[in-house]
Amino acid sequence: MAAAAADFVQSKQVMSYALCKHLDRDPNSISSTLIKESDIASLFSHIVTNPQDEVKKWVEFSSNFASSDGEQHALLGNLNQHLSQMSVLLASGFIPSVADIVVFATVQVFMCHLSDSELQKYPNISRWMDYIQNVVDFGTSLQKINVTKSVFSPPPPSHPKKADKGDADPTSKKAVSGQKIADKSDGTADSKKVAGENKVPGDKAIPTFDKNDKPSGDKKKVSFQEKTPGKKTEAAAEKALQKSAEKDSECNVSILNIQVGVILKAWKHPSADSLLVEEIDLGGGNVRQVVSGLAKFFSPEELVNRRVVLITNVKPGKLRDVMSAGLVLCASNNDHTVVEPLIPPEGAKLGERISFAGFDGKPEDVLNPKKKQLDKVTPHLRTDENGIATFRGVPFTTSAGPCRSSVPNADVK
């Protein structure tokens, strides 16, 4: 913990660099002497002019954190509580502000020296730091926090079990068919009485025979009566199984071809204020145009060079006269005031298909809009409490790890 209590010179260097990049300033314009001799608040005010009152509170938090020896855990507890319902520090959706930069730079040096068990006490801070360190440019001197990702062991998908021919009790079959023949051939009151005596209230009659009782009719007829109901039952079970399998396949995420891409260009839709048009690279020369409803949440410039996750086997079509050949998957909070494209992990290859443990089917070449396949799958896409994107609790997985969002417990569509 002695290392964690060291002076915050490196924190100030990281903070200075990130603030300058965030404000489109040259990081070299801030001298190393100024960084070394200034405290956090003074350095911040030298770079950021006229900050909002809310930002000033977080600068004060950072100053207290750096100078309050032994009280860091209490301050982290307050920060963790604040982030329980927030993606970033200020109520501005999911776009990091200067407040996120100064607080991250300050607490990062302390968090790096915590044990795994101590880090688990601050899950909201860990989620926030993992997001900030991957979307803000802190330069090459930043030591990234290695956040332990949640590990899922999903149960295997359930499928209706086909009825086993050997499961039925042959004695019961013979008794039932025998009773039918007996009822046909013997219409006496005694035989009816036997059937009535074996009837349990609320249950079907279970006919029994004495060893000396022999139903009339030849053996061939009995054999025919035994086999026919069995065939009908088998056919009905087969039909029900087929219908159930078809229903399961329609709500199976494996029908979707979900891939990793990067936005090369983005611009406003010419005739719809709520839409943006993106040119997305899927690797291997596969570049496609996609229209997304992100104009209220992002400027075109903010989307350029952003890595995204998109469904690539939707049927291409025009949205307000502009061709779209994909669907960028985004996490959205309940009131739809925060919308953010899912973030694939660093190291995931362009064009890589997202996989789901237990769902190994091949995707459809092109989804059929008439079957409403997408509508049946998307209600089961969500982020969990850690921001990991899931289908029925099973994470969106790439070769480099799961896809995630800064918006926890959110719908994905």
Side-chain angles (χ1 to χ4, degrees):
M1 196 59 67
D7 66 6
F8 286 80
V9 173
Q10 185 179 2
S11 295
K12 291 186 291 182
Q13 290 172 341
V14 168
M15 181 187 81
S16 174
Y17 182 93
L19 287 174
C20 288
K21 297 293 283 187
H22 184 79
L23 299 171
D24 293 327
R25 289 184 57 179
D26 181 6
N28 295 323
S29 64
I30 310 299
S31 69
S32 58
T33 302
L34 177 64
I35 294 173
K36 187 175 181 180
E37 295 180 353
S38 301
D39 59 24
I40 289 176
S42 299
L43 179 61
F44 181 86
S45 62
H46 185 84
I47 302 172
V48 182
T49 57
N50 300 320
Q52 299 175 358
D53 290 340
E54 193 68 21
V55 173
K56 291 178 182 178
K57 292 178 183 178
W58 287 112
V59 174
E60 182 181 358
F61 171 92
S62 298
S63 297
N64 292 337
F65 190 90
S67 60
S68 301
D69 189 20
E71 298 182 12
Q72 281 87 354
H73 282 286
L75 292 170
L76 286 178
N78 294 336
L79 178 60
N80 189 69
Q81 179 62 31
H82 176 80
L83 288 168
S84 62
Q85 300 296 325
M86 305 285 284
S87 300
V88 290
L89 292 180
L90 301 184
S92 57
F94 48 84
I95 300 175
S97 67
V98 291
D100 292 279
I101 293 173
V102 67
V103 175
F104 176 93
T106 306
V107 302
Q108 182 265 349
V109 67
F110 187 86
M111 295 285 286
C112 278
H113 294 88
L114 295 183
S115 64
D116 289 343
S117 60
E118 288 176 313
L119 284 173
Q120 289 175 6
K121 296 177 183 178
Y122 311 113
N124 300 317
I125 296 178
S126 297
R127 166 183 54 78
W128 167 75
M129 293 190 75
D130 187 49
Y131 174 63
I132 297 299
Q133 70 185 359
N134 284 297
V135 297
V136 174
D137 185 0
F138 287 98
T140 57
S141 61
L142 176 72
Q143 178 185 350
K144 287 193 175 183
I145 298 288
N146 185 21
V147 178
T148 302
K149 308 296 192 297
S150 300
V151 178
F152 294 85
S153 297
S158 58
H159 296 289
K161 183 180 178 183
K162 185 177 179 180
D164 193 341
K165 293 180 181 179
D167 286 347
D169 185 357
T171 306
S172 176
K173 279 188 176 181
K174 289 178 181 178
V176 173
S177 60
Q179 179 63 37
K180 287 182 180 178
I181 296 169
D183 287 346
K184 251 185 184 179
S185 58
D186 188 358
T188 64
D190 287 338
S191 66
K192 291 180 181 178
K193 185 178 178 182
V194 170
E197 287 174 351
N198 287 280
K199 190 171 184 179
V200 181
D203 292 338
K204 293 183 179 179
I206 306 175
T208 58
F209 291 97
D210 187 86
K211 290 182 180 179
N212 296 323
D213 290 343
K214 294 183 179 179
S216 60
D218 56 26
K219 291 182 180 179
K220 288 184 179 179
K221 188 172 183 180
V222 172
S223 176
F224 174 80
Q225 290 289 340
E226 287 173 3
K227 289 182 179 179
T228 303
K231 285 184 178 180
K232 289 181 179 179
T233 303
E234 269 185 50
E238 191 80 30
K239 191 173 182 180
L241 181 64
Q242 184 178 354
K243 283 185 178 180
S244 180
E246 288 174 358
K247 187 176 180 181
D248 282 351
S249 66
E250 290 175 356
C251 191
N252 190 327
V253 71
S254 65
I255 67 172
L256 305 182
N257 193 16
I258 307 176
Q259 295 178 271
V260 175
V262 63
I263 298 177
L264 301 178
K265 299 178 184 177
W267 60 95
K268 293 181 179 180
H269 192 288
S271 59
D273 293 338
S274 64
L275 301 178
L276 293 179
V277 187
E278 302 103 29
E279 188 177 280
I280 301 178
D281 184 8
L282 294 167
N286 184 1
V287 178
R288 60 180 62 198
Q289 181 173 285
V290 176
V291 178
S292 303
L294 291 171
K296 294 180 181 179
F297 310 99
F298 283 92
S299 67
E301 294 75 22
E302 289 173 323
L303 289 177
V304 175
N305 295 325
R306 187 183 181 104
R307 290 164 66 84
V308 291
V309 174
L310 65 156
I311 302 174
T312 57
N313 62 338
V314 293
K315 187 176 180 179
K318 288 186 176 182
L319 290 176
R320 299 289 294 269
D321 298 324
V322 175
M323 182 58 69
S324 180
L327 177 65
V328 176
L329 289 175
C330 300
S332 170
N333 64 353
N334 291 335
D335 57 5
H336 204 64
T337 56
V338 178
V339 177
E340 175 195 31
L342 295 182
I343 307 168
E346 289 186 15
K349 300 176 182 178
L350 293 183
E352 178 178 349
R353 187 188 176 210
I354 306 299
S355 62
F356 299 83
F359 299 91
D360 302 323
K362 292 183 178 180
E364 297 278 334
D365 291 334
V366 179
L367 297 177
N368 188 342
K370 292 183 180 180
K371 292 183 178 181
K372 297 185 177 180
Q373 294 165 301
L374 196 57
D375 294 339
K376 295 174 183 177
V377 176
T378 50
H380 305 285
L381 303 180
R382 287 188 60 79
T383 60
D384 65 11
E385 65 277 6
N386 296 312
I388 295 176
T390 70
F391 169 76
R392 291 180 172 175
V394 180
F396 283 56
T397 304
T398 71
S399 58
C403 301
R404 58 180 61 240
S405 168
S406 68
V407 189
N409 299 316
D411 294 325
V412 174
K413 56 181 68 177

